[in-house]
Amino acid sequence: MSILYELQKNIYAPKDKKNTFGNYNYRTAEGILAVAKSVMPEGVSIVLSDDVIEIGGHVFVKAKATLKSGSDVIAESFGFAGHPLDKKGMDFSQITGASSSYARKYALQGLLALDDGPADPDATNKHETTSNDKPEPAQSSYKTTSYSSSSASDGQGPKLASEKQIAMIRALGKKLPQEVVAKIRTASGVVTKDQWDSMTSFTASKLITALKDAEAQSEPALDDEIPY
């Protein structure tokens, strides 16, 4: 375990790639491996493998990153990525390759304890508001869908977001960079914990749509490291 400790302490894999569409930086599996190789001691290796699994009717690529010293396993970490059966502009093998690369990147990040530093919006957002301060919607580059106000109420006041909607928002949020999620939440007026707890079904629907649009528009980020 001292080998793992030294690796995690000394490795630094910056987000040296730029997604111009989403305006955020990212790292790649290849970039992480290049840095790891430069600091790994003699006889130590990282082995990557994939498996395709089905959960709840959805297909995922499950990647495993194994740190080994000779034939001894020191540590393992796993990463997951959705495997859609169809994606515009990609054949099936390219879809699999993109999902594999994305899952491997997160397996490596977990194994080597890579962090994002202060880039996480929650690291600097103090969630402080006053009764007279209302967050102004930020300009978002993501398209939204219009809804009829009749869908927001059942005649007894606005309906709160359902557990299913909350779960979907959280699941979608995990697929996107946190800076993108923060922009969308700000644009939807769901920033503080109080706003989250009092979110209506109508607002949740708009938020889900915006997150889905962002996921579709940022598809290249799933596999920026594969040139096609």
PDB file of all heavy atoms in Angstrom, residues 6 16-17 35 72 85 88 90 122 131 140 145 148 176 181 185-186 204 214 225:
ATOM      1  N   GLU A   6       2.432   6.515  -2.387  1.00  0.00           N
ATOM      2  CA  GLU A   6       3.403   7.365  -3.065  1.00  0.00           C
ATOM      3  C   GLU A   6       2.881   7.827  -4.418  1.00  0.00           C
ATOM      4  O   GLU A   6       3.088   8.978  -4.826  1.00  0.00           O
ATOM      5  CB  GLU A   6       4.727   6.612  -3.234  1.00  0.00           C
ATOM      6  CG  GLU A   6       5.486   6.391  -1.941  1.00  0.00           C
ATOM      7  CD  GLU A   6       5.887   7.709  -1.283  1.00  0.00           C
ATOM      8  OE1 GLU A   6       6.228   8.652  -2.017  1.00  0.00           O
ATOM      9  OE2 GLU A   6       5.857   7.789  -0.042  1.00  0.00           O
ATOM     10  N   ASP A  16      -5.952  19.132 -19.013  1.00  0.00           N
ATOM     11  CA  ASP A  16      -5.218  19.886 -20.022  1.00  0.00           C
ATOM     12  C   ASP A  16      -5.918  19.952 -21.373  1.00  0.00           C
ATOM     13  O   ASP A  16      -5.370  20.497 -22.328  1.00  0.00           O
ATOM     14  CB  ASP A  16      -3.828  19.275 -20.208  1.00  0.00           C
ATOM     15  CG  ASP A  16      -3.882  17.794 -20.556  1.00  0.00           C
ATOM     16  OD1 ASP A  16      -4.971  17.207 -20.465  1.00  0.00           O
ATOM     17  OD2 ASP A  16      -2.832  17.234 -20.927  1.00  0.00           O
ATOM     18  N   LYS A  17      -7.124  19.399 -21.458  1.00  0.00           N
ATOM     19  CA  LYS A  17      -7.899  19.472 -22.692  1.00  0.00           C
ATOM     20  C   LYS A  17      -9.053  20.456 -22.511  1.00  0.00           C
ATOM     21  O   LYS A  17      -9.558  20.649 -21.408  1.00  0.00           O
ATOM     22  CB  LYS A  17      -8.454  18.093 -23.078  1.00  0.00           C
ATOM     23  CG  LYS A  17      -7.387  17.006 -23.232  1.00  0.00           C
ATOM     24  CD  LYS A  17      -6.450  17.294 -24.373  1.00  0.00           C
ATOM     25  CE  LYS A  17      -5.445  16.166 -24.541  1.00  0.00           C
ATOM     26  NZ  LYS A  17      -4.487  16.439 -25.626  1.00  0.00           N
ATOM     27  N   VAL A  35       1.012  10.338 -17.305  1.00  0.00           N
ATOM     28  CA  VAL A  35       1.579  10.887 -16.072  1.00  0.00           C
ATOM     29  C   VAL A  35       1.930   9.761 -15.103  1.00  0.00           C
ATOM     30  O   VAL A  35       2.991   9.775 -14.458  1.00  0.00           O
ATOM     31  CB  VAL A  35       0.593  11.872 -15.419  1.00  0.00           C
ATOM     32  CG1 VAL A  35       1.133  12.356 -14.078  1.00  0.00           C
ATOM     33  CG2 VAL A  35       0.341  13.063 -16.332  1.00  0.00           C
ATOM     34  N   ASP A  72       1.326  -9.304  -7.825  1.00  0.00           N
ATOM     35  CA  ASP A  72       0.495  -8.969  -6.668  1.00  0.00           C
ATOM     36  C   ASP A  72      -0.412  -7.780  -6.967  1.00  0.00           C
ATOM     37  O   ASP A  72       0.041  -6.752  -7.497  1.00  0.00           O
ATOM     38  CB  ASP A  72       1.368  -8.634  -5.452  1.00  0.00           C
ATOM     39  CG  ASP A  72       2.205  -9.819  -5.001  1.00  0.00           C
ATOM     40  OD1 ASP A  72       1.729 -10.961  -5.169  1.00  0.00           O
ATOM     41  OD2 ASP A  72       3.325  -9.601  -4.494  1.00  0.00           O
ATOM     42  N   LEU A  85     -27.314   2.307 -27.471  1.00  0.00           N
ATOM     43  CA  LEU A  85     -27.306   1.426 -28.630  1.00  0.00           C
ATOM     44  C   LEU A  85     -27.201   2.205 -29.930  1.00  0.00           C
ATOM     45  O   LEU A  85     -26.877   1.644 -30.982  1.00  0.00           O
ATOM     46  CB  LEU A  85     -28.576   0.567 -28.634  1.00  0.00           C
ATOM     47  CG  LEU A  85     -28.751  -0.351 -27.424  1.00  0.00           C
ATOM     48  CD1 LEU A  85     -30.038  -1.153 -27.549  1.00  0.00           C
ATOM     49  CD2 LEU A  85     -27.552  -1.278 -27.268  1.00  0.00           C
ATOM     50  N   LYS A  88     -25.889   9.492 -32.798  1.00  0.00           N
ATOM     51  CA  LYS A  88     -25.775  10.147 -34.097  1.00  0.00           C
ATOM     52  C   LYS A  88     -24.317  10.331 -34.494  1.00  0.00           C
ATOM     53  O   LYS A  88     -23.498  10.818 -33.722  1.00  0.00           O
ATOM     54  CB  LYS A  88     -26.482  11.505 -34.048  1.00  0.00           C
ATOM     55  CG  LYS A  88     -26.527  12.230 -35.384  1.00  0.00           C
ATOM     56  CD  LYS A  88     -27.295  13.530 -35.276  1.00  0.00           C
ATOM     57  CE  LYS A  88     -27.343  14.262 -36.611  1.00  0.00           C
ATOM     58  NZ  LYS A  88     -28.083  15.552 -36.499  1.00  0.00           N
ATOM     59  N   MET A  90     -22.057   8.042 -35.126  1.00  0.00           N
ATOM     60  CA  MET A  90     -21.119   7.029 -34.650  1.00  0.00           C
ATOM     61  C   MET A  90     -21.647   5.644 -34.959  1.00  0.00           C
ATOM     62  O   MET A  90     -22.854   5.404 -34.841  1.00  0.00           O
ATOM     63  CB  MET A  90     -20.896   7.176 -33.132  1.00  0.00           C
ATOM     64  CG  MET A  90     -20.292   8.503 -32.715  1.00  0.00           C
ATOM     65  SD  MET A  90     -20.275   8.730 -30.911  1.00  0.00           S
ATOM     66  CE  MET A  90     -19.160   7.408 -30.421  1.00  0.00           C
ATOM     67  N   ASP A 122     -19.529  23.886  -5.752  1.00  0.00           N
ATOM     68  CA  ASP A 122     -19.955  23.752  -4.367  1.00  0.00           C
ATOM     69  C   ASP A 122     -18.829  24.061  -3.387  1.00  0.00           C
ATOM     70  O   ASP A 122     -19.063  24.269  -2.202  1.00  0.00           O
ATOM     71  CB  ASP A 122     -20.468  22.336  -4.096  1.00  0.00           C
ATOM     72  CG  ASP A 122     -21.843  22.118  -4.713  1.00  0.00           C
ATOM     73  OD1 ASP A 122     -22.531  23.130  -4.936  1.00  0.00           O
ATOM     74  OD2 ASP A 122     -22.216  20.981  -4.973  1.00  0.00           O
ATOM     75  N   SER A 131     -33.652  37.554   2.362  1.00  0.00           N
ATOM     76  CA  SER A 131     -35.048  37.553   1.936  1.00  0.00           C
ATOM     77  C   SER A 131     -35.274  38.463   0.746  1.00  0.00           C
ATOM     78  O   SER A 131     -36.231  38.321   0.006  1.00  0.00           O
ATOM     79  CB  SER A 131     -35.944  37.994   3.104  1.00  0.00           C
ATOM     80  OG  SER A 131     -35.561  39.289   3.556  1.00  0.00           O
ATOM     81  N   SER A 140     -27.774  31.082 -20.236  1.00  0.00           N
ATOM     82  CA  SER A 140     -27.365  29.713 -20.505  1.00  0.00           C
ATOM     83  C   SER A 140     -27.315  29.467 -22.003  1.00  0.00           C
ATOM     84  O   SER A 140     -28.128  29.989 -22.765  1.00  0.00           O
ATOM     85  CB  SER A 140     -28.358  28.730 -19.863  1.00  0.00           C
ATOM     86  OG  SER A 140     -28.061  27.418 -20.244  1.00  0.00           O
ATOM     87  N   THR A 145     -37.197  23.979 -23.040  1.00  0.00           N
ATOM     88  CA  THR A 145     -38.496  23.699 -23.642  1.00  0.00           C
ATOM     89  C   THR A 145     -39.573  24.461 -22.905  1.00  0.00           C
ATOM     90  O   THR A 145     -39.558  24.542 -21.676  1.00  0.00           O
ATOM     91  CB  THR A 145     -38.802  22.190 -23.576  1.00  0.00           C
ATOM     92  OG1 THR A 145     -37.742  21.487 -24.244  1.00  0.00           O
ATOM     93  CG2 THR A 145     -40.116  21.877 -24.234  1.00  0.00           C
ATOM     94  N   SER A 148     -46.736  24.595 -20.637  1.00  0.00           N
ATOM     95  CA  SER A 148     -47.952  25.294 -20.265  1.00  0.00           C
ATOM     96  C   SER A 148     -48.044  25.383 -18.754  1.00  0.00           C
ATOM     97  O   SER A 148     -47.736  24.432 -18.043  1.00  0.00           O
ATOM     98  CB  SER A 148     -49.177  24.549 -20.815  1.00  0.00           C
ATOM     99  OG  SER A 148     -50.354  25.056 -20.243  1.00  0.00           O
ATOM    100  N   LEU A 176     -22.608  15.004 -16.146  1.00  0.00           N
ATOM    101  CA  LEU A 176     -22.106  16.249 -16.708  1.00  0.00           C
ATOM    102  C   LEU A 176     -21.079  16.890 -15.791  1.00  0.00           C
ATOM    103  O   LEU A 176     -21.095  16.665 -14.582  1.00  0.00           O
ATOM    104  CB  LEU A 176     -23.269  17.233 -16.919  1.00  0.00           C
ATOM    105  CG  LEU A 176     -24.323  16.836 -17.953  1.00  0.00           C
ATOM    106  CD1 LEU A 176     -25.558  17.721 -17.796  1.00  0.00           C
ATOM    107  CD2 LEU A 176     -23.765  16.968 -19.357  1.00  0.00           C
ATOM    108  N   VAL A 181     -23.534  21.789 -14.767  1.00  0.00           N
ATOM    109  CA  VAL A 181     -24.721  21.594 -13.936  1.00  0.00           C
ATOM    110  C   VAL A 181     -25.039  22.863 -13.151  1.00  0.00           C
ATOM    111  O   VAL A 181     -26.195  23.269 -13.017  1.00  0.00           O
ATOM    112  CB  VAL A 181     -24.512  20.414 -12.969  1.00  0.00           C
ATOM    113  CG1 VAL A 181     -25.713  20.273 -12.030  1.00  0.00           C
ATOM    114  CG2 VAL A 181     -24.307  19.118 -13.742  1.00  0.00           C
ATOM    115  N   ARG A 185     -28.547  24.910 -13.203  1.00  0.00           N
ATOM    116  CA  ARG A 185     -29.330  25.118 -11.981  1.00  0.00           C
ATOM    117  C   ARG A 185     -29.539  26.605 -11.715  1.00  0.00           C
ATOM    118  O   ARG A 185     -30.620  27.021 -11.284  1.00  0.00           O
ATOM    119  CB  ARG A 185     -28.633  24.443 -10.806  1.00  0.00           C
ATOM    120  CG  ARG A 185     -28.768  22.936 -10.802  1.00  0.00           C
ATOM    121  CD  ARG A 185     -28.184  22.304  -9.567  1.00  0.00           C
ATOM    122  NE  ARG A 185     -28.804  22.806  -8.332  1.00  0.00           N
ATOM    123  CZ  ARG A 185     -28.543  22.314  -7.131  1.00  0.00           C
ATOM    124  NH1 ARG A 185     -27.670  21.319  -7.001  1.00  0.00           N
ATOM    125  NH2 ARG A 185     -29.127  22.803  -6.063  1.00  0.00           N
ATOM    126  N   THR A 186     -28.507  27.406 -11.969  1.00  0.00           N
ATOM    127  CA  THR A 186     -28.640  28.844 -11.769  1.00  0.00           C
ATOM    128  C   THR A 186     -29.670  29.431 -12.726  1.00  0.00           C
ATOM    129  O   THR A 186     -30.511  30.252 -12.339  1.00  0.00           O
ATOM    130  CB  THR A 186     -27.284  29.541 -11.981  1.00  0.00           C
ATOM    131  OG1 THR A 186     -26.332  29.020 -11.042  1.00  0.00           O
ATOM    132  CG2 THR A 186     -27.404  31.045 -11.766  1.00  0.00           C
ATOM    133  N   ALA A 204     -38.831  21.319 -11.973  1.00  0.00           N
ATOM    134  CA  ALA A 204     -38.050  20.089 -12.115  1.00  0.00           C
ATOM    135  C   ALA A 204     -38.095  19.576 -13.557  1.00  0.00           C
ATOM    136  O   ALA A 204     -37.086  19.116 -14.093  1.00  0.00           O
ATOM    137  CB  ALA A 204     -38.566  19.021 -11.158  1.00  0.00           C
ATOM    138  N   ALA A 214     -28.195  19.389 -22.393  1.00  0.00           N
ATOM    139  CA  ALA A 214     -26.760  19.590 -22.167  1.00  0.00           C
ATOM    140  C   ALA A 214     -25.990  18.305 -22.397  1.00  0.00           C
ATOM    141  O   ALA A 214     -24.898  18.304 -22.971  1.00  0.00           O
ATOM    142  CB  ALA A 214     -26.526  20.100 -20.745  1.00  0.00           C
ATOM    143  N   GLU A 225     -10.847  11.963 -26.339  1.00  0.00           N
ATOM    144  CA  GLU A 225      -9.525  11.417 -26.596  1.00  0.00           C
ATOM    145  C   GLU A 225      -9.479  10.467 -27.787  1.00  0.00           C
ATOM    146  O   GLU A 225      -8.410  10.063 -28.203  1.00  0.00           O
ATOM    147  CB  GLU A 225      -8.983  10.718 -25.352  1.00  0.00           C
ATOM    148  CG  GLU A 225      -9.854   9.598 -24.787  1.00  0.00           C
ATOM    149  CD  GLU A 225     -10.789  10.085 -23.703  1.00  0.00           C
ATOM    150  OE1 GLU A 225     -11.479  11.093 -23.916  1.00  0.00           O
ATOM    151  OE2 GLU A 225     -10.829   9.463 -22.635  1.00  0.00           O
TER     152      GLU A 225
END
